[in-house]
Amino acid sequence: MVLSKANILALVLGYPLFTVFWTVVFWTRIAGRYQPTWESLDTRPLPDWYDNAKVGLLIHWGLFSVPSFGSERFWQEWKGELASAVKSYTPQIRFGVYYSLPEWFNPLYELDRKNHSKSNTYVSTKVLPELYSIVRRYQPEIIVSEDDEREPDSYWNSTLFLSWLFNESPVRRTVVVNDRWGSGTFCRHGSYFTCYSAGTLPPHKFERRISLDRHSLGYRREARLGDYLSIYELIASIAETVSCGGNILINIGPSPDGRIPPIMEERLRQVGAWLDVNGEAIYASIPWTHQNDTITRGIWYTKDKDLDRTYAIVLNWPEDCLLFLGAVEPSKETKIFLLGYETPDAKFIRLKTCPKSEANGPGSSLCQELALHCCFEGYSYHLSGMSYSYLCFRME
């Protein structure tokens, strides 16, 4: 026998060499930065990219969309193309996946349920192997899990998987996960929460999901024009969500052959046109002191986290071109600009700020009028062909 340090250690301790080796490896893995407990996992900071992104896109496209190409063996040709395309052609877009933990009619899952979840054959033979494989193969930076609120996270071995995800996976530094990892985890554990109370500023990062089709996440051939959100409703949802510190996830449902229906394409292009002008009030912004205005409805505020700038997103054109703001307290040095127009125009809006007291309405003599650089009334139509007028002011 060669008296190496490892062999000497084995002889002294009285353990075979392989036992010492595996003991060391096991301890090293368990002693990682994040332990498989919620107390440890909840300490992981939220990656900046997710906090800054604000607007996401959720695509519901599966077997229910009826793939109408190829032969009855088309499934043999399905090999993770969407992930490769996103990462190759649009690297600025972060790729994510949705995974449903329960497969309600899977015999193994039904067997575990009959055993009152004392066994987890379904999890150990299907769920965990699939999750590990998905992460290693596709390297998603967002994992949206789904549970049925019946089994606890201990049945799903959620903390074991998440500790591996945050410690050792190829996306450990950038991945974010939601809060659906077993009963008791909703709105309690996860990189972001999916619970949301309209118009309020929650203490934890949240994500709000909306679907362009009011009645379905997937594609519907029978959908009518009125079934889809208007661009006004869409932008209002974005403004409200971001002002409260959240991200918004916009769901679309492609057709069976993978095409985005024209009405959905139009909505996405309209949102894109609006963001081209007003994106600095959305991307990488943080909540301001007030989320919405104290006097005028339909006004949402955000703030630049690096510069001393506050943004007011106005969803309706002010009557008589006179806009009242109750939440703003300007100083003599305050400057106000309309995004997209940095110089005065012939047609402008007068803006007044009023004390916070509800007793002082817009007609109060205490309101202070400010000079405002702004554009002509056809602002939104000129930019994107929209039939609604949206304004976004920057105050610095």
Side-chain angles (χ1 to χ4, degrees):
M1 172 185 286
V2 179
L3 294 179
S4 64
K5 292 182 179 179
N7 286 329
I8 293 174
L9 179 62
L11 290 173
V12 171
L13 296 178
Y15 295 115
L17 178 58
F18 72 88
T19 303
V20 175
F21 173 76
W22 284 110
T23 301
V24 172
V25 171
F26 179 77
W27 176 254
T28 300
R29 289 179 180 270
I30 291 300
R33 181 180 176 188
Y34 300 106
Q35 303 300 318
T37 65
W38 288 121
E39 290 77 13
S40 175
L41 296 172
D42 286 343
T43 64
R44 181 177 180 265
L46 182 73
D48 287 340
W49 76 261
Y50 180 81
D51 190 33
N52 295 337
K54 307 304 179 185
V55 181
L57 188 64
L58 177 64
I59 302 177
H60 260 74
W61 186 37
L63 293 177
F64 51 83
S65 299
V66 190
S68 54
F69 63 90
S71 68
E72 69 279 2
R73 300 177 180 176
F74 73 91
W75 58 270
Q76 293 180 331
E77 305 300 324
W78 277 19
K79 300 176 182 178
E81 292 180 359
L82 181 59
S84 299
V86 168
K87 294 180 180 181
S88 298
Y89 299 105
T90 55
Q92 72 276 17
I93 296 179
R94 307 282 181 152
F95 180 76
V97 296
Y98 165 93
Y99 187 89
S100 177
L101 295 176
E103 197 172 81
W104 287 274
F105 303 105
N106 187 296
L108 294 177
Y109 182 53
E110 292 298 320
L111 180 61
D112 284 348
R113 286 194 50 77
K114 289 181 180 179
N115 293 334
H116 304 288
S117 300
K118 293 181 180 179
S119 63
N120 69 343
T121 305
Y122 168 71
V123 176
S124 60
T125 61
K126 181 186 184 297
V127 175
L128 287 181
E130 285 185 349
L131 283 173
Y132 286 119
S133 177
I134 288 172
V135 172
R136 290 189 179 109
R137 184 172 182 180
Y138 302 107
Q139 300 186 17
E141 294 184 275
I142 305 175
I143 298 180
V144 179
S145 175
E146 186 75 71
D147 62 36
D148 57 5
E149 293 286 336
R150 294 192 292 187
E151 282 72 40
D153 64 273
S154 57
Y155 166 75
W156 299 108
N157 279 336
S158 298
T159 58
L160 180 66
F161 168 72
L162 291 174
S163 62
W164 171 84
L165 184 69
F166 294 161
N167 285 324
E168 303 176 43
S169 77
V171 290
R172 59 188 177 275
R173 300 184 185 279
T174 57
V175 69
V176 295
V177 299
N178 68 336
D179 56 354
R180 303 296 295 272
W181 296 94
S183 61
T185 62
F186 174 67
C187 208
R188 291 183 60 189
H189 303 292
S191 304
Y192 63 89
F193 295 165
T194 54
C195 52
Y196 171 66
S197 180
T200 62
L201 181 61
H204 193 82
K205 185 70 179 185
F206 73 93
E207 180 177 271
R208 177 185 179 189
R209 185 181 71 182
I210 60 175
S211 181
L212 290 186
D213 186 338
R214 304 174 194 272
H215 308 296
S216 175
L217 297 173
Y219 174 72
R220 290 193 305 139
R221 289 178 297 174
E222 78 278 13
R224 300 187 177 188
L225 180 62
D227 293 336
Y228 295 98
L229 295 180
S230 67
I231 184 57
Y232 178 84
E233 293 172 303
L234 198 52
I235 291 181
S237 296
I238 294 174
E240 176 184 345
T241 303
V242 174
S243 72
C244 294
N247 284 17
I248 193 162
L249 190 62
I250 303 170
N251 176 81
I252 61 173
S255 64
D257 55 358
R259 289 179 294 179
I260 297 177
I263 183 64
M264 293 188 179
E265 178 184 352
E266 180 185 56
R267 292 293 181 269
L268 295 178
R269 290 187 180 277
Q270 289 173 326
V271 170
W274 187 82
L275 288 172
D276 280 344
V277 177
N278 304 297
E280 68 176 86
I282 301 296
Y283 299 120
S285 65
I286 60 175
W288 189 48
T289 306
H290 296 268
Q291 278 61 67
N292 51 3
D293 196 65
T294 56
I295 290 181
T296 304
R297 299 182 61 183
I299 299 179
W300 297 93
Y301 295 101
T302 64
K303 188 179 186 302
D304 190 302
K305 65 180 180 180
D306 297 319
L307 302 174
D308 189 20
R309 292 178 174 179
T310 300
Y311 299 92
I313 304 173
V314 184
L315 299 179
N316 298 291
W317 192 270
E319 186 177 353
D320 297 326
C321 286
L322 181 59
L323 181 66
F324 292 90
L325 301 180
V328 178
E329 296 181 358
S331 66
K332 294 181 179 180
E333 289 75 28
T334 299
K335 297 179 181 179
I336 302 181
F337 299 91
L338 181 68
L339 297 190
Y341 287 83
E342 299 296 321
T343 57
D345 201 282
K347 182 80 174 182
F348 65 91
I349 296 175
R350 291 178 298 139
L351 182 141
K352 287 188 176 183
T353 59
C354 306
K356 296 180 181 179
S357 172
E358 295 182 0
N360 298 313
S364 171
S365 60
L366 298 178
C367 294
Q368 175 185 1
E369 184 164 342
L370 301 177
L372 174 65
H373 294 171
C374 158
C375 70
F376 49 87
E377 192 166 355
Y379 164 74
S380 293
Y381 182 84
H382 174 74
L383 288 175
S384 59
M386 302 178 188
S387 58
Y388 294 93
S389 296
Y390 311 94
L391 303 172
C392 188
F393 302 112
R394 184 181 73 233
M395 294 167 279
E396 56 184 47

